[in-house]
Amino acid sequence: MDNSGFSVRGVLAGEAPGDAPVTVKGWVRTRRDSRAGISFVHLSDGSSFHPLQVVAPSTLPNYEAEILRLSAGCAVEATGRIVPSPARGQPFEMQASALRVVGWVDDPETYPIQPKPHTLEFLREVAHLRPRTNVIGAATRVRHTLAQAIHRFFDRNGFFWVNTPIITASDAEGAGALFRVSTLDLANLPRTPAGEIDFAQDFFGREAFLTVSGQLNVEAYCLALTKVYTFGPTFRAENSNTSRHLAEFWMIEPEIAFADLSDNATLAERLLKYTFENLLSERQEDLAFFDERIEKGLIAKLERIVGSEFVRMDYGEAVAVLERAKGEKFEFPVKWGIDLQSEHERYLTEKYAKKPVIVMNYPKAIKAFYMRVNDDGRTVAAMDVLAPGIGEIIGGSQREERLEVLDQSMAERGIDREHYAWYRDLRRYGTVPHAGFGLGFERTLAYSTGLANVRDAIPFPRTPGNARY
RNA sequence: UCCCCGGUAGCUCAGUGGUAGAGCAAGCGGCUGUUAACCGCUGGGUCGAUGGUUCGAAUCCGUCCCGGGGAGCCA
Protein backbone atom coordinates (compact mmCIF):
# COMPACT_ATOMS: atom_id res chain seq x y z
CA MET A 1 0.00 0.00 0.00
CA ASP A 2 1.48 3.29 -1.09
CA ASN A 3 0.55 6.09 1.24
CA SER A 4 3.23 8.47 0.03
CA GLY A 5 0.75 10.60 -1.90
CA PHE A 6 -0.52 14.00 -0.90
CA SER A 7 -3.83 14.69 0.75
CA VAL A 8 -6.24 17.11 -0.88
CA ARG A 9 -5.89 19.26 2.20
CA GLY A 10 -2.12 19.39 1.81
CA VAL A 11 -2.31 20.28 -1.87
CA LEU A 12 -4.84 23.07 -1.33
CA ALA A 13 -2.70 24.39 1.52
CA GLY A 14 0.17 24.77 -0.93
CA GLU A 15 2.30 21.98 0.54
CA ALA A 16 2.92 20.17 -2.75
CA PRO A 17 6.05 20.94 -4.75
CA GLY A 18 5.45 22.94 -7.92
CA ASP A 19 8.17 21.33 -9.94
CA ALA A 20 7.48 17.62 -9.55
CA PRO A 21 4.40 15.47 -10.05
CA VAL A 22 2.46 14.31 -7.00
CA THR A 23 -0.19 11.64 -6.53
CA VAL A 24 -3.56 12.22 -4.90
CA LYS A 25 -6.12 9.49 -4.25
CA GLY A 26 -9.78 9.89 -3.57
CA TRP A 27 -13.34 9.75 -4.85
CA VAL A 28 -14.88 11.69 -7.72
CA ARG A 29 -17.41 14.32 -6.74
CA THR A 30 -18.20 15.77 -10.19
CA ARG A 31 -16.90 15.65 -13.73
CA ARG A 32 -17.31 18.37 -16.36
CA ASP A 33 -16.03 18.04 -19.91
CA SER A 34 -14.77 20.77 -22.16
CA ARG A 35 -14.61 20.29 -25.91
CA ALA A 36 -11.41 22.27 -25.77
CA GLY A 37 -10.07 18.86 -24.92
CA ILE A 38 -10.04 18.63 -21.16
CA SER A 39 -12.18 17.31 -18.36
CA PHE A 40 -12.43 18.73 -14.87
CA VAL A 41 -12.65 16.07 -12.19
CA HIS A 42 -13.30 17.16 -8.63
CA LEU A 43 -11.63 14.79 -6.24
CA SER A 44 -12.34 14.45 -2.52
CA ASP A 45 -10.42 12.36 -0.01
CA GLY A 46 -12.18 13.71 3.06
CA SER A 47 -9.11 15.51 4.34
CA SER A 48 -10.63 18.91 3.69
CA PHE A 49 -13.97 20.43 2.93
CA HIS A 50 -13.00 21.52 -0.58
CA PRO A 51 -12.16 19.01 -3.32
CA LEU A 52 -9.14 19.07 -5.57
CA GLN A 53 -9.76 20.05 -9.19
CA VAL A 54 -7.94 17.61 -11.45
CA VAL A 55 -7.57 18.85 -15.02
CA ALA A 56 -7.44 15.81 -17.30
CA PRO A 57 -6.36 16.46 -20.91
CA SER A 58 -7.88 14.42 -23.75
CA THR A 59 -4.38 13.29 -24.64
CA LEU A 60 -4.37 10.85 -21.72
CA PRO A 61 -4.39 7.29 -23.11
CA ASN A 62 -7.52 6.31 -21.14
CA TYR A 63 -9.39 9.57 -21.80
CA GLU A 64 -12.11 8.22 -24.11
CA ALA A 65 -12.37 4.80 -22.54
CA GLU A 66 -12.35 5.71 -18.88
CA ILE A 67 -12.18 9.39 -17.95
CA LEU A 68 -15.30 10.27 -19.96
CA ARG A 69 -17.09 7.50 -18.04
CA LEU A 70 -16.19 8.79 -14.58
CA SER A 71 -19.19 9.55 -12.39
CA ALA A 72 -19.76 10.61 -8.81
CA GLY A 73 -18.31 8.11 -6.35
CA CYS A 74 -15.62 6.52 -8.57
CA ALA A 75 -12.33 5.95 -6.77
CA VAL A 76 -9.31 7.28 -8.65
CA GLU A 77 -5.61 7.90 -8.33
CA ALA A 78 -4.46 11.11 -9.99
CA THR A 79 -0.86 12.03 -10.75
CA GLY A 80 0.31 15.35 -12.05
CA ARG A 81 1.83 18.73 -11.33
CA ILE A 82 0.17 21.10 -8.89
CA VAL A 83 -0.20 24.56 -10.38
CA PRO A 84 -1.92 27.76 -9.32
CA SER A 85 -5.46 27.63 -10.70
CA PRO A 86 -6.17 30.14 -13.48
CA ALA A 87 -9.89 30.05 -12.64
CA ARG A 88 -11.71 31.11 -9.54
CA GLY A 89 -12.85 28.49 -7.11
CA GLN A 90 -9.59 27.00 -5.88
CA PRO A 91 -6.06 28.23 -5.17
CA PHE A 92 -4.35 25.21 -6.75
CA GLU A 93 -5.30 22.48 -9.19
CA MET A 94 -3.65 19.44 -10.71
CA GLN A 95 -2.61 19.15 -14.34
CA ALA A 96 -2.95 15.38 -14.57
CA SER A 97 -0.41 13.29 -16.39
CA ALA A 98 -2.15 10.09 -15.35
CA LEU A 99 -5.59 9.35 -13.96
CA ARG A 100 -6.06 5.75 -12.93
CA VAL A 101 -9.45 4.33 -12.01
CA VAL A 102 -9.22 2.28 -8.84
CA GLY A 103 -12.91 1.48 -8.37
CA TRP A 104 -15.89 2.08 -10.65
CA VAL A 105 -19.46 2.86 -9.63
CA ASP A 106 -21.62 -0.06 -10.76
CA ASP A 107 -24.70 1.85 -11.76
CA PRO A 108 -24.36 5.66 -11.71
CA GLU A 109 -28.10 6.19 -11.84
CA THR A 110 -28.71 4.40 -8.57
CA TYR A 111 -25.62 5.61 -6.71
CA PRO A 112 -27.35 7.40 -3.84
CA ILE A 113 -24.85 10.22 -3.35
CA GLN A 114 -25.49 12.55 -6.24
CA PRO A 115 -23.88 15.94 -6.81
CA LYS A 116 -26.94 17.72 -5.47
CA PRO A 117 -28.37 18.54 -2.06
CA HIS A 118 -29.95 15.61 -0.27
CA THR A 119 -32.19 15.69 2.74
CA LEU A 120 -30.61 14.54 5.97
CA GLU A 121 -33.50 12.12 6.39
CA PHE A 122 -32.58 10.40 3.14
CA LEU A 123 -28.91 10.29 4.04
CA ARG A 124 -29.69 8.45 7.28
CA GLU A 125 -31.07 5.65 5.13
CA VAL A 126 -27.70 5.32 3.40
CA ALA A 127 -25.59 5.69 6.51
CA HIS A 128 -22.72 3.75 4.95
CA LEU A 129 -22.41 6.17 2.02
CA ARG A 130 -23.34 9.46 3.64
CA PRO A 131 -19.79 10.20 4.87
CA ARG A 132 -19.08 11.03 1.22
CA THR A 133 -21.34 14.08 1.38
CA ASN A 134 -20.24 17.58 2.27
CA VAL A 135 -22.42 17.77 5.34
CA ILE A 136 -21.56 14.45 6.96
CA GLY A 137 -17.90 14.76 6.00
CA ALA A 138 -17.78 18.16 7.67
CA ALA A 139 -19.65 16.87 10.73
CA THR A 140 -17.18 14.01 11.02
CA ARG A 141 -14.20 16.34 10.97
CA VAL A 142 -15.84 18.66 13.49
CA ARG A 143 -16.62 15.66 15.72
CA HIS A 144 -12.96 14.66 15.66
CA THR A 145 -11.79 18.17 16.44
CA LEU A 146 -14.28 18.53 19.29
CA ALA A 147 -13.09 15.27 20.82
CA GLN A 148 -9.45 16.28 20.51
CA ALA A 149 -10.14 19.68 22.07
CA ILE A 150 -11.99 18.10 24.98
CA HIS A 151 -9.17 15.69 25.71
CA ARG A 152 -6.65 18.53 25.38
CA PHE A 153 -8.60 20.70 27.81
CA PHE A 154 -8.62 18.02 30.46
CA ASP A 155 -5.00 17.03 29.89
CA ARG A 156 -3.79 20.60 30.21
CA ASN A 157 -5.79 21.04 33.39
CA GLY A 158 -4.39 17.98 35.12
CA PHE A 159 -7.30 15.60 34.59
CA PHE A 160 -6.86 11.89 34.00
CA TRP A 161 -8.98 10.03 31.46
CA VAL A 162 -10.54 7.04 33.19
CA ASN A 163 -12.07 4.28 31.09
CA THR A 164 -15.08 3.22 33.10
CA PRO A 165 -16.72 -0.11 32.24
CA ILE A 166 -19.28 -0.49 29.49
CA ILE A 167 -20.76 -3.61 31.06
CA THR A 168 -22.07 -2.91 34.54
CA ALA A 169 -24.22 -4.43 37.23
CA SER A 170 -25.29 -1.16 38.78
CA ASP A 171 -27.69 1.27 37.20
CA ALA A 172 -27.04 4.94 37.88
CA GLU A 173 -30.39 5.45 39.49
CA GLY A 174 -32.93 7.25 37.37
CA ALA A 175 -30.75 7.49 34.31
CA GLY A 176 -33.10 5.47 32.18
CA ALA A 177 -33.89 1.98 31.01
CA LEU A 178 -31.10 -0.52 30.54
CA PHE A 179 -29.99 -2.89 27.81
CA ARG A 180 -29.46 -6.33 29.27
CA VAL A 181 -26.19 -8.16 28.64
CA SER A 182 -26.60 -11.90 28.85
CA THR A 183 -25.34 -15.14 27.37
CA LEU A 184 -28.30 -17.15 28.61
CA ASP A 185 -30.24 -19.15 26.03
CA LEU A 186 -33.39 -17.10 25.50
CA ALA A 187 -35.29 -20.16 24.35
CA ASN A 188 -34.30 -22.15 27.40
CA LEU A 189 -33.83 -19.93 30.43
CA PRO A 190 -32.52 -21.49 33.65
CA ARG A 191 -34.93 -21.10 36.57
CA THR A 192 -34.53 -20.92 40.30
CA PRO A 193 -36.68 -23.20 42.45
CA ALA A 194 -39.00 -20.21 42.87
CA GLY A 195 -39.43 -19.95 39.11
CA GLU A 196 -37.40 -16.81 38.62
CA ILE A 197 -34.75 -16.55 35.94
CA ASP A 198 -31.54 -17.82 37.50
CA PHE A 199 -29.01 -15.13 36.69
CA ALA A 200 -26.46 -16.91 38.88
CA GLN A 201 -25.95 -19.09 35.82
CA ASP A 202 -25.44 -16.10 33.52
CA PHE A 203 -21.99 -15.05 32.30
CA PHE A 204 -21.24 -12.70 35.19
CA GLY A 205 -23.08 -14.75 37.80
CA ARG A 206 -25.59 -11.94 38.17
CA GLU A 207 -27.64 -9.55 36.10
CA ALA A 208 -25.58 -7.27 33.87
CA PHE A 209 -26.34 -4.33 31.62
CA LEU A 210 -24.79 -1.82 29.28
CA THR A 211 -23.81 1.28 31.21
CA VAL A 212 -26.04 4.33 31.31
CA SER A 213 -23.33 6.46 32.90
CA GLY A 214 -19.77 6.12 34.08
CA GLN A 215 -20.41 8.50 36.94
CA LEU A 216 -20.54 6.11 39.88
CA ASN A 217 -17.39 4.34 38.76
CA VAL A 218 -15.50 7.52 37.98
CA GLU A 219 -16.33 8.86 41.43
CA ALA A 220 -14.19 6.06 42.82
CA TYR A 221 -11.21 7.23 40.77
CA CYS A 222 -11.95 10.86 41.57
CA LEU A 223 -11.54 10.05 45.25
CA ALA A 224 -7.95 8.99 44.59
CA LEU A 225 -6.76 10.92 41.53
CA THR A 226 -8.69 14.14 42.32
CA LYS A 227 -9.39 15.29 38.78
CA VAL A 228 -10.69 12.67 36.35
CA TYR A 229 -13.08 12.30 33.45
CA THR A 230 -14.70 9.67 31.29
CA PHE A 231 -15.23 9.92 27.55
CA GLY A 232 -16.98 6.93 26.09
CA PRO A 233 -20.19 5.35 24.87
CA THR A 234 -23.30 5.02 27.00
CA PHE A 235 -26.57 3.25 26.36
CA ARG A 236 -30.19 4.00 27.11
CA ALA A 237 -33.00 1.64 26.23
CA GLU A 238 -35.60 4.41 26.47
CA ASN A 239 -38.18 4.45 23.71
CA SER A 240 -37.30 8.04 22.92
CA ASN A 241 -38.05 9.29 19.43
CA THR A 242 -36.76 12.83 19.34
CA SER A 243 -34.07 14.83 17.61
CA ARG A 244 -32.06 14.88 20.86
CA HIS A 245 -31.96 11.22 21.89
CA LEU A 246 -29.97 8.18 20.83
CA ALA A 247 -29.94 4.67 22.27
CA GLU A 248 -26.14 4.72 21.99
CA PHE A 249 -24.34 8.00 22.51
CA TRP A 250 -21.07 9.35 23.83
CA MET A 251 -20.73 11.23 27.02
CA ILE A 252 -18.00 13.20 28.77
CA GLU A 253 -18.19 13.02 32.56
CA PRO A 254 -15.61 14.98 34.57
CA GLU A 255 -15.47 14.51 38.32
CA ILE A 256 -13.49 16.75 40.67
CA ALA A 257 -12.64 16.24 44.34
CA PHE A 258 -12.54 18.94 47.01
CA ALA A 259 -15.02 20.86 44.91
CA ASP A 260 -18.54 22.20 45.20
CA LEU A 261 -21.33 23.06 42.77
CA SER A 262 -19.88 26.46 41.97
CA ASP A 263 -16.54 24.86 41.01
CA ASN A 264 -18.51 22.42 38.91
CA ALA A 265 -20.34 25.17 37.03
CA THR A 266 -17.08 27.00 36.43
CA LEU A 267 -15.53 23.84 35.03
CA ALA A 268 -18.48 23.31 32.70
CA GLU A 269 -18.29 26.85 31.40
CA ARG A 270 -14.53 26.72 30.88
CA LEU A 271 -14.74 23.38 29.10
CA LEU A 272 -17.38 24.58 26.64
CA LYS A 273 -15.60 27.85 25.93
CA TYR A 274 -12.22 26.20 25.40
CA THR A 275 -13.73 23.60 23.12
CA PHE A 276 -15.60 26.10 20.94
CA GLU A 277 -12.60 28.41 20.81
CA ASN A 278 -10.44 25.58 19.47
CA LEU A 279 -13.12 24.57 17.03
CA LEU A 280 -13.37 28.09 15.64
CA SER A 281 -9.65 28.23 14.92
CA GLU A 282 -9.15 24.68 13.69
CA ARG A 283 -12.21 24.01 11.53
CA GLN A 284 -12.88 27.27 9.75
CA GLU A 285 -13.83 25.81 6.37
CA ASP A 286 -16.26 23.29 7.80
CA LEU A 287 -17.84 25.84 10.11
CA ALA A 288 -18.18 28.27 7.21
CA PHE A 289 -20.14 25.60 5.37
CA PHE A 290 -22.43 24.97 8.35
CA ASP A 291 -22.86 28.71 8.79
CA GLU A 292 -23.90 29.13 5.15
CA ARG A 293 -26.03 26.03 4.61
CA ILE A 294 -27.21 24.70 7.97
CA GLU A 295 -27.51 27.55 10.48
CA LYS A 296 -27.05 31.19 9.54
CA GLY A 297 -25.02 32.98 12.18
CA LEU A 298 -23.52 29.80 13.59
CA ILE A 299 -20.00 31.17 13.81
CA ALA A 300 -21.18 34.37 15.49
CA LYS A 301 -23.13 32.23 17.94
CA LEU A 302 -20.06 30.22 18.89
CA GLU A 303 -17.93 33.35 19.14
CA ARG A 304 -20.51 34.92 21.41
CA ILE A 305 -20.37 31.93 23.74
CA VAL A 306 -16.59 32.00 23.90
CA GLY A 307 -16.63 35.70 24.71
CA SER A 308 -19.44 36.01 27.21
CA GLU A 309 -20.29 34.92 30.72
CA PHE A 310 -22.86 32.18 31.09
CA VAL A 311 -25.91 33.22 33.04
CA ARG A 312 -26.18 31.47 36.41
CA MET A 313 -29.41 31.35 38.33
CA ASP A 314 -30.93 29.33 41.09
CA TYR A 315 -33.86 27.12 40.24
CA GLY A 316 -35.98 29.45 42.37
CA GLU A 317 -34.92 32.44 40.29
CA ALA A 318 -35.63 30.51 37.09
CA VAL A 319 -39.14 29.79 38.31
CA ALA A 320 -39.59 33.47 39.14
CA VAL A 321 -38.38 34.50 35.68
CA LEU A 322 -40.80 32.08 34.07
CA GLU A 323 -43.70 33.27 36.22
CA ARG A 324 -42.95 36.86 35.20
CA ALA A 325 -42.71 35.97 31.49
CA LYS A 326 -45.39 38.09 29.93
CA GLY A 327 -47.06 36.91 26.77
CA GLU A 328 -45.65 33.40 27.15
CA LYS A 329 -48.26 30.71 27.13
CA PHE A 330 -46.66 27.65 28.68
CA GLU A 331 -48.41 24.35 28.21
CA PHE A 332 -47.20 23.30 31.64
CA PRO A 333 -47.89 25.86 34.37
CA VAL A 334 -44.90 27.01 36.37
CA LYS A 335 -44.60 26.77 40.11
CA TRP A 336 -41.87 25.94 42.58
CA GLY A 337 -41.33 22.21 42.73
CA ILE A 338 -41.99 21.26 39.12
CA ASP A 339 -39.30 19.89 36.89
CA LEU A 340 -38.56 22.42 34.17
CA GLN A 341 -40.15 21.37 30.88
CA SER A 342 -38.53 21.72 27.45
CA GLU A 343 -40.59 24.83 26.79
CA HIS A 344 -39.36 26.40 30.04
CA GLU A 345 -35.72 25.61 29.39
CA ARG A 346 -36.10 26.93 25.88
CA TYR A 347 -37.55 30.21 27.11
CA LEU A 348 -34.77 30.71 29.63
CA THR A 349 -31.91 30.13 27.23
CA GLU A 350 -33.37 31.33 23.93
CA LYS A 351 -35.55 34.27 24.88
CA TYR A 352 -34.55 35.41 28.33
CA ALA A 353 -30.75 35.06 28.34
CA LYS A 354 -30.08 34.39 24.64
CA LYS A 355 -27.01 32.39 25.66
CA PRO A 356 -26.20 29.38 27.81
CA VAL A 357 -27.83 29.36 31.21
CA ILE A 358 -26.77 27.34 34.23
CA VAL A 359 -29.72 26.55 36.46
CA MET A 360 -28.66 25.42 39.93
CA ASN A 361 -30.12 24.02 43.14
CA TYR A 362 -33.18 22.08 42.06
CA PRO A 363 -35.88 20.68 44.35
CA LYS A 364 -34.66 17.52 46.01
CA ALA A 365 -37.75 15.54 45.08
CA ILE A 366 -37.14 15.68 41.33
CA LYS A 367 -33.45 14.77 41.37
CA ALA A 368 -31.31 11.66 41.88
CA PHE A 369 -30.30 10.12 45.19
CA TYR A 370 -26.57 10.89 44.92
CA MET A 371 -27.00 14.67 44.70
CA ARG A 372 -25.93 16.65 47.74
CA VAL A 373 -28.73 17.95 49.92
CA ASN A 374 -28.47 21.70 50.52
CA ASP A 375 -28.75 23.31 53.95
CA ASP A 376 -32.35 24.33 53.23
CA GLY A 377 -33.22 20.63 53.21
CA ARG A 378 -35.50 20.95 50.21
CA THR A 379 -33.08 21.50 47.36
CA VAL A 380 -30.03 19.63 46.09
CA ALA A 381 -26.81 20.96 44.60
CA ALA A 382 -27.73 20.01 41.02
CA MET A 383 -27.16 21.99 37.87
CA ASP A 384 -28.23 21.90 34.24
CA VAL A 385 -26.53 23.85 31.49
CA LEU A 386 -29.10 24.90 28.93
CA ALA A 387 -28.04 26.00 25.45
CA PRO A 388 -30.14 27.79 22.84
CA GLY A 389 -31.50 25.47 20.19
CA ILE A 390 -30.55 22.23 21.88
CA GLY A 391 -31.80 22.52 25.45
CA GLU A 392 -30.09 20.60 28.20
CA ILE A 393 -26.51 19.96 27.15
CA ILE A 394 -25.05 19.27 30.58
CA GLY A 395 -26.52 17.79 33.73
CA GLY A 396 -24.48 17.56 36.89
CA SER A 397 -24.30 17.96 40.64
CA GLN A 398 -22.24 18.09 43.75
CA ARG A 399 -22.37 14.55 45.13
CA GLU A 400 -23.61 13.69 48.57
CA GLU A 401 -20.44 12.91 50.48
CA ARG A 402 -22.08 12.44 53.93
CA LEU A 403 -22.88 8.77 54.45
CA GLU A 404 -25.84 9.30 56.74
CA VAL A 405 -27.46 11.81 54.37
CA LEU A 406 -26.81 9.53 51.40
CA ASP A 407 -28.42 6.62 53.23
CA GLN A 408 -31.39 8.82 54.04
CA SER A 409 -31.79 9.83 50.37
CA MET A 410 -31.61 6.22 49.27
CA ALA A 411 -34.14 5.19 51.85
CA GLU A 412 -36.54 7.92 50.75
CA ARG A 413 -36.40 6.53 47.23
CA GLY A 414 -36.65 2.90 48.25
CA ILE A 415 -33.16 2.07 46.97
CA ASP A 416 -31.47 -1.01 48.39
CA ARG A 417 -28.27 0.22 50.03
CA GLU A 418 -26.68 -3.22 49.75
CA HIS A 419 -26.87 -2.82 46.00
CA TYR A 420 -24.65 0.25 46.32
CA ALA A 421 -22.33 -1.09 48.99
CA TRP A 422 -19.14 -0.18 47.13
CA TYR A 423 -20.49 3.30 46.41
CA ARG A 424 -21.22 3.77 50.10
CA ASP A 425 -17.66 2.67 50.90
CA LEU A 426 -16.42 5.81 49.16
CA ARG A 427 -18.21 7.77 51.92
CA ARG A 428 -16.86 5.53 54.65
CA TYR A 429 -13.20 5.83 53.77
CA GLY A 430 -11.85 9.35 53.40
CA THR A 431 -14.91 11.03 51.96
CA VAL A 432 -14.60 14.54 50.55
CA PRO A 433 -16.90 17.00 48.82
CA HIS A 434 -16.83 16.31 45.10
CA ALA A 435 -18.82 17.18 42.03
CA GLY A 436 -19.16 16.37 38.36
CA PHE A 437 -21.36 16.51 35.31
CA GLY A 438 -22.24 14.75 32.08
CA LEU A 439 -21.83 16.44 28.72
CA GLY A 440 -23.64 14.84 25.80
CA PHE A 441 -21.13 14.63 22.99
CA GLU A 442 -23.61 14.40 20.12
CA ARG A 443 -25.64 17.27 21.52
CA THR A 444 -22.47 19.31 21.69
CA LEU A 445 -21.67 18.45 18.10
CA ALA A 446 -25.20 19.25 16.98
CA TYR A 447 -24.95 22.58 18.73
CA SER A 448 -21.54 23.26 17.19
CA THR A 449 -22.69 22.59 13.64
CA GLY A 450 -26.29 23.73 13.69
CA LEU A 451 -27.42 20.22 12.81
CA ALA A 452 -30.93 19.90 14.20
CA ASN A 453 -30.82 16.17 14.89
CA VAL A 454 -28.27 14.18 16.90
CA ARG A 455 -28.78 11.30 14.45
CA ASP A 456 -26.61 13.30 12.07
CA ALA A 457 -23.98 13.92 14.75
CA ILE A 458 -22.92 10.27 15.15
CA PRO A 459 -21.65 8.03 12.35
CA PHE A 460 -24.17 5.22 12.74
CA PRO A 461 -27.12 6.31 14.89
CA ARG A 462 -28.93 3.77 17.04
CA THR A 463 -32.55 4.62 17.77
CA PRO A 464 -35.60 2.50 18.63
CA GLY A 465 -36.11 0.08 15.75
CA ASN A 466 -32.98 1.12 13.92
CA ALA A 467 -29.57 -0.55 14.08
CA ARG A 468 -29.27 -1.62 10.44
CA TYR A 469 -25.78 -0.38 9.71
C1' U B 1 -45.31 5.40 24.52
C1' C B 2 -48.65 9.71 23.12
C1' C B 3 -50.06 13.85 19.55
C1' C B 4 -49.36 15.93 14.63
C1' C B 5 -47.41 15.73 9.45
C1' G B 6 -45.67 12.77 5.53
C1' G B 7 -44.59 8.11 2.03
C1' U B 8 -45.67 9.37 -6.14
C1' A B 9 -39.13 8.16 -11.08
C1' G B 10 -32.25 7.23 -8.42
C1' C B 11 -33.11 12.27 -5.42
C1' U B 12 -36.46 16.77 -4.32
C1' C B 13 -41.46 17.43 -5.05
C1' A B 14 -46.42 18.78 -7.80
C1' G B 15 -50.83 16.14 -8.82
C1' U B 16 -56.88 15.63 -3.72
C1' G B 17 -62.30 10.93 -7.86
C1' G B 18 -61.68 10.44 -14.74
C1' U B 19 -55.23 8.18 -19.61
C1' A B 20 -48.94 9.43 -13.97
C1' G B 21 -45.97 15.04 -14.21
C1' A B 22 -41.71 18.71 -13.39
C1' G B 23 -36.69 19.90 -11.82
C1' C B 24 -32.19 17.54 -10.70
C1' A B 25 -29.59 12.83 -11.60
C1' A B 26 -28.69 9.01 -15.58
C1' G B 27 -27.91 7.90 -21.23
C1' C B 28 -27.08 10.26 -26.13
C1' G B 29 -25.92 14.80 -28.89
C1' G B 30 -24.36 20.15 -28.88
C1' C B 31 -21.47 24.07 -26.58
C1' U B 32 -18.03 25.73 -23.08
C1' G B 33 -11.12 26.74 -18.43
C1' U B 34 -15.53 24.31 -16.26
C1' U B 35 -16.78 24.52 -10.89
C1' A B 36 -24.89 23.47 -8.07
C1' A B 37 -22.30 24.86 -15.72
C1' C B 38 -25.61 25.62 -19.96
C1' C B 39 -28.98 23.90 -24.48
C1' G B 40 -31.65 19.74 -27.01
C1' C B 41 -33.35 14.67 -27.14
C1' U B 42 -34.18 9.80 -24.69
C1' G B 43 -35.02 6.00 -21.15
C1' G B 44 -36.95 5.52 -16.28
C1' G B 45 -43.09 4.37 -11.94
C1' U B 46 -46.77 -2.35 -8.50
C1' C B 47 -48.14 6.14 -6.65
C1' G B 48 -45.36 2.34 1.15
C1' A B 49 -48.47 -2.48 2.04
C1' U B 50 -53.20 -4.50 2.52
C1' G B 51 -58.54 -4.59 2.80
C1' G B 52 -62.84 -1.67 1.51
C1' U B 53 -66.20 2.32 -1.00
C1' U B 54 -66.98 3.50 -6.35
C1' C B 55 -68.67 2.51 -13.18
C1' G B 56 -63.70 4.35 -12.10
C1' A B 57 -58.84 5.35 -6.55
C1' A B 58 -52.15 8.14 -6.38
C1' U B 59 -56.63 10.87 -4.71
C1' C B 60 -61.99 8.78 -0.14
C1' C B 61 -62.34 5.15 4.38
C1' G B 62 -60.10 1.08 7.77
C1' U B 63 -55.72 -1.53 9.37
C1' C B 64 -50.53 -2.17 9.26
C1' C B 65 -45.34 -0.72 8.01
C1' C B 66 -41.71 3.14 7.43
C1' G B 67 -39.87 8.36 7.94
C1' G B 68 -40.08 13.25 10.21
C1' G B 69 -41.62 17.06 13.93
C1' G B 70 -43.35 17.83 18.92
C1' A B 71 -44.19 15.76 24.06
C1' G B 72 -42.56 12.63 28.01
C1' C B 73 -37.67 10.63 29.65
C1' C B 74 -32.87 12.55 29.64
C1' A B 75 -27.28 13.79 27.84
Side-chain angles (χ1 to χ4, degrees), chain A residues 202-469:
Chain A
D202 205 345
F203 187 88
F204 296 105
R206 59 188 301 172
E207 287 187 274
F209 307 92
L210 293 179
T211 184
V212 294
S213 165
Q215 179 201 317
L216 267 41
N217 290 287
V218 88
E219 277 188 54
Y221 272 70
C222 174
L223 297 176
L225 296 166
T226 308
K227 293 197 281 189
V228 296
Y229 71 106
T230 72
F231 191 156
T234 48
F235 308 87
R236 306 273 169 94
E238 294 288 344
N239 190 11
S240 295
N241 294 287
T242 82
S243 58
R244 304 180 306 283
H245 290 85
L246 294 164
E248 176 182 295
F249 66 100
W250 286 59
M251 193 154 60
I252 297 101
E253 297 176 287
E255 193 77 24
I256 44 179
F258 306 100
D260 61 15
L261 188 65
S262 175
D263 299 322
N264 206 27
T266 300
L267 177 65
E269 182 170 350
R270 284 184 58 217
L271 170 64
L272 289 176
K273 285 180 175 177
Y274 177 90
T275 303
F276 291 149
E277 191 173 13
N278 278 257
L279 191 60
L280 283 164
S281 67
E282 293 172 27
R283 288 259 83 92
Q284 293 181 6
E285 284 187 357
D286 292 317
L287 290 181
F289 166 77
F290 287 118
D291 193 291
E292 184 188 332
R293 295 293 180 87
I294 305 293
E295 180 184 344
K296 302 281 183 210
L298 172 75
I299 291 174
K301 177 185 84 176
L302 295 175
E303 286 172 341
R304 206 158 49 239
I305 285 170
V306 170
S308 68
E309 295 296 306
F310 288 15
V311 173
R312 294 189 193 190
M313 60 173 70
D314 267 6
Y315 167 88
E317 296 172 53
V319 168
V321 165
L322 292 166
E323 285 174 337
R324 282 201 308 268
K326 294 215 167 63
E328 284 296 323
K329 283 178 230 134
F330 294 123
E331 184 186 346
F332 296 90
V334 178
K335 68 170 189 185
W336 201 98
I338 65 155
D339 204 354
L340 297 183
Q341 305 292 314
S342 290
E343 57 175 346
H344 304 141
E345 297 181 344
R346 204 162 269 183
Y347 175 83
L348 289 171
T349 186
E350 291 174 6
K351 292 189 177 171
Y352 176 74
K354 296 188 171 64
K355 55 184 175 181
V357 173
I358 308 180
V359 181
M360 307 164 84
N361 299 312
Y362 282 79
K364 177 181 168 183
I366 60 173
K367 290 293 183 181
F369 77 93
Y370 50 75
M371 297 183 177
R372 191 180 196 278
V373 179
N374 287 323
D375 290 345
D376 62 15
R378 63 172 195 162
T379 62
V380 290
M383 67 171 198
D384 284 349
V385 179
L386 314 176
I390 193 82
E392 184 182 335
I393 194 171
I394 283 177
S397 67
Q398 184 174 342
R399 319 306 188 187
E400 183 56 75
E401 84 281 13
R402 299 161 297 188
L403 183 63
E404 62 283 4
V405 182
L406 181 68
D407 283 346
Q408 174 70 26
S409 290
M410 292 173 79
E412 286 169 6
R413 290 167 176 79
I415 296 169
D416 177 11
R417 69 171 64 168
E418 288 311 306
H419 201 71
Y420 290 91
W422 68 263
Y423 189 71
R424 292 178 71 253
D425 274 358
L426 301 174
R427 278 72 184 167
R428 296 172 63 209
Y429 308 126
T431 190
V432 300
H434 61 290
F437 60 82
L439 169 65
F441 190 47
E442 285 74 22
R443 287 185 184 180
T444 308
L445 179 56
Y447 185 70
S448 307
T449 56
L451 289 169
N453 196 315
V454 290
R455 292 165 197 164
D456 303 316
I458 190 167
F460 295 97
R462 270 80 178 98
T463 52
N466 193 341
R468 180 176 160 199
Y469 294 96

Side-chain angles (χ1 to χ4, degrees), chain A residues 137-192:
Chain A
T140 304
R141 287 184 295 272
V142 170
R143 184 179 169 104
H144 166 82
T145 300
L146 271 180
Q148 294 294 323
I150 288 166
H151 280 301
R152 198 180 316 129
F153 171 84
F154 285 125
D155 185 53
R156 291 189 177 174
N157 285 280
F159 282 72
F160 296 105
W161 180 23
V162 175
N163 303 126
T164 49
I166 287 168
I167 299 172
T168 175
S170 61
D171 52 334
E173 180 65 28
L178 301 154
F179 286 103
R180 181 180 299 284
V181 175
S182 174
T183 55
L184 292 178
D185 180 1
L186 285 177
N188 188 20
L189 291 169
R191 299 284 173 176
T192 63

